[in-house]
Amino acid sequence: MSNAGIPWQQRVHTVAQLPAKVTHLLANHPWLESPLLGITVLALAAVVLVAWAARAVWEHRHRTAVVNRIARRVALSGVSSLLLVTGTGLAVNSYVGYVPSISALQSTVGTSVDVPAALVPAIGVVGTAPHHPMADGAYRHAHVLVLRVPVGGPHGGRRPVEVYLPQGYFDPRNATRRYPVVYLLHGFPGRAVDWIDGGGLIGTADTLMQHGLIPPMIIAMPQVARSPFTDSECLNLPGGEQDETFLTNTLPRAVDATFRTETARTGRAIGGMSSGAYCALNLALRHPDVFSVSLSIEPFGDPGANLQKVVGMQAWQANSPRLYLSGSHLAQPLAFYLGAGSHDPETKANALSLSGLLAKAGAEVGLSIDPGGGHTWREAARQLPYALIFAAHHFS
């Protein structure tokens, strides 16, 4: 649908609140993210430190053997240090919301499936997958397959892509059904599994589908760069990784070749948090033939000053939406979701300024400023249901 003739201010909409019942269901706090756990461990550390000090005073007064005194002090020092580090880590995690459980520390979730390299170049060729490894009972609990997609460039190899499949995907009654796809990108540093762990994606997607707020959809979460600590900002780096090509060409072709997807642009969205939000914004604008919706949570308007020397100023400016959007007009219909927390002033300002630039360029924009939210995975998890609903409304 064309937005021609509609004032740009009317193309920016604040998102509607979720039903209270759904909000309650999504407001879960995994045990490792409980503030009480961190406080308890820090309190234990304080008790050990007090006991250590009291013991030292007693030993000094009673002139205990030096060897025994040193051994006890080393032991108490080790215990108190461990408790302090653990308690501090748990307290930080309760705010950031990155590690919900011990199992979240593993690198991937689900059963791994290699995508044959021969399938990747032929976009639109859908593998029927008569018997995926998780097509039986295990799938009903895990929801996730892990694709390992071939990557070009100097390092080659494969990258993990966590793929959430909706309930009923393997039901014979849905054998001819095709599903829209949302691609979600993690931040930096980050891993493919981050949206499942930090973002709570499985529970969120399940709940939204069960309440009819979004249709069944496939959600693919790739490893964005060569390693969790490689910051490419999803660009093609000179002489290095070609991450833009991977995310906008190789990856969609691999997903389309493996699953029953809607292969038109109107059935694809790309989203992310933090640096992944910048990527989702920039890649959707640069590749409107691939994506029709962009979902940016905690967004940035450029790839960061550290990449100016890596890619060169001309390429850097060509990948900075806050610069190239001014005075431009979109050639194809695009919809953008921009979300940030009110306690994250930088990305809040980015969301507000980018929403205006996008609307002036002719895009439909959904804007969400979450009261009290910061630059954390907890905020990304709070924004995720609104972003998925926005994508669902704009799929054809």
Side-chain angles (χ1 to χ4, degrees):
M1 182 175 64
S2 173
N3 282 325
I6 301 176
W8 71 265
Q9 294 92 340
Q10 296 180 22
R11 294 196 290 268
V12 179
H13 308 281
T14 55
V15 298
Q17 290 298 306
L18 292 171
K21 182 178 180 180
V22 174
T23 302
H24 175 73
L25 289 172
L26 295 177
N28 64 319
H29 296 288
W31 68 276
L32 269 185
E33 295 179 8
S34 169
L36 182 61
L37 182 61
I39 293 171
T40 300
V41 175
L42 287 174
L44 285 174
V47 169
V48 172
L49 285 172
V50 170
W52 181 13
R55 181 72 184 184
V57 171
W58 186 89
E59 289 176 342
H60 177 75
R61 289 178 176 175
H62 292 79
R63 301 183 181 278
T64 58
V66 174
V67 174
N68 293 338
R69 194 185 311 168
I70 293 175
R72 278 191 290 270
R73 289 182 181 179
V74 168
L76 287 171
S77 173
V79 171
S80 60
S81 297
L82 178 62
L83 289 172
L84 278 172
V85 171
T86 302
T88 301
L90 289 170
V92 171
N93 188 57
S94 70
Y95 171 73
V96 175
Y98 183 64
V99 183
S101 63
I102 296 297
S103 62
L105 297 173
Q106 66 187 39
S107 60
T108 58
V109 171
T111 299
S112 178
V113 177
D114 283 351
V115 177
L119 285 179
V120 174
I123 189 166
V125 177
V126 180
T128 56
H131 186 76
H132 270 299
M134 294 177 68
D136 298 319
Y139 162 74
R140 289 193 293 272
H141 302 286
H143 286 274
V144 175
L145 284 171
V146 183
L147 297 187
R148 298 196 178 275
V149 180
V151 180
H155 299 284
R158 295 175 182 268
R159 287 190 191 166
V161 182
E162 305 277 345
V163 181
Y164 167 95
L165 297 173
Q167 290 285 357
Y169 180 86
F170 292 109
D171 190 323
R173 292 171 294 182
N174 295 326
T176 60
R177 181 171 186 166
R178 293 185 178 274
Y179 299 83
V181 184
V182 175
Y183 294 87
L184 288 181
L185 312 180
H186 57 76
F188 171 78
R191 307 171 299 159
V193 77
D194 284 353
W195 273 107
I196 294 176
D197 292 340
L201 179 130
I202 293 176
T204 295
D206 283 352
T207 300
L208 295 180
M209 290 180 200
Q210 288 165 5
H211 286 78
L213 296 173
I214 62 174
M217 60 175 63
I218 294 171
I219 303 174
M221 297 149 279
Q223 180 70 46
V224 170
R226 177 165 49 94
S227 79
F229 302 99
T230 301
D231 186 17
S232 70
E233 297 294 313
C234 308
L235 304 182
N236 286 341
L237 302 183
E241 294 298 311
Q242 305 296 291
D243 292 332
E244 180 177 358
T245 300
F246 170 72
L247 293 169
T248 62
N249 188 303
T250 309
L251 176 61
R253 290 182 174 183
V255 171
D256 288 345
T258 308
F259 303 104
R260 300 189 308 275
T261 64
E262 294 181 9
T263 58
R265 66 178 292 274
T266 50
R268 288 199 202 102
I270 185 168
M273 70 87 69
S274 191
S275 65
Y278 154 76
C279 293
L281 175 66
N282 186 50
L283 294 179
L285 287 166
R286 288 171 58 86
H287 299 272
D289 56 322
V290 181
F291 307 105
S292 63
V293 182
S294 172
L295 313 170
S296 294
I297 299 172
E298 303 164 18
F300 294 96
D302 61 59
N306 61 310
L307 281 180
Q308 287 183 3
K309 292 182 179 180
V310 178
V311 300
M313 182 57 71
Q314 184 175 357
W316 190 88
Q317 293 175 339
N319 285 278
S320 297
R322 66 177 181 82
L323 300 178
Y324 67 68
L325 274 172
S326 298
S328 65
H329 189 80
L330 303 180
Q332 297 194 60
L334 284 167
F336 294 84
Y337 177 93
L338 297 165
S342 63
H343 288 182
D344 182 11
E346 183 176 8
T347 59
K348 175 187 173 183
N350 289 337
L352 292 171
S353 62
L354 288 168
S355 66
L357 290 172
L358 289 164
K360 289 176 183 178
E364 192 77 16
V365 182
L367 180 63
S368 173
I369 304 300
D370 179 30
H375 198 84
T376 65
W377 269 105
R378 187 178 296 283
E379 175 61 21
R382 286 167 60 92
Q383 293 274 356
L384 179 60
Y386 298 97
L388 292 178
I389 292 172
F390 180 88
H393 285 173
H394 288 86
F395 285 141
S396 60

